[in-house]
Amino acid sequence: MATATTNREGEILYIRGELDFDSVATLWSTTESLFATAPPFRIDLSGISRANSAGVALLVGWFGQTRRRGQALVFVNVPVQMQAIIAIAGLDTVLPLV
C-alpha cells in the first residue's frame, strides 16, 4: 500500500510520497479539517514519487474546496506524470499550475 505525507510550513502544504487510490483516500481524510478551517495557498508536489489519476482527482477536490470558499490555491512543482494526466483530462485550463 502506497503512502503519502503532508507537512505544512506557513501557507505552503508539502505533499510527499505516492498518490494512488489508497493514499489519496487517507490524505483526503487527514486534510479535510485543514481545508475547512485554514487552507493553504500553495501546494508543493515536488516530493511526489509516483501518481495516478487518483492524485489528480485529489487536486481537483482541493481546488474545488478552496474555490467554493472564495480562496486562492496554486499547485507548484507538479510532476510531469501528473501534468500529462491533467492535460489529457482537459484540466490544464482549470487547475492553477505553476
Side-chain angles (χ1 to χ4, degrees), residues 1-63:
M1 181 163 119
T3 60
T5 61
T6 62
N7 178 43
R8 184 164 186 173
E9 294 180 18
E11 296 179 343
I12 303 173
L13 182 66
Y14 294 91
I15 311 295
R16 291 179 180 78
E18 297 181 18
L19 292 180
D20 67 5
F21 296 101
D22 293 326
S23 65
V24 163
T26 301
L27 273 181
W28 182 261
S29 297
T30 60
T31 61
E32 190 171 10
S33 64
L34 170 69
F35 277 85
T37 57
F41 292 107
R42 294 182 92 107
I43 296 181
D44 188 312
L45 301 167
S46 60
I48 298 299
S49 57
R50 188 181 67 79
N52 62 22
S53 60
V56 173
L58 180 65
L59 302 188
V60 171
W62 283 339
F63 179 67

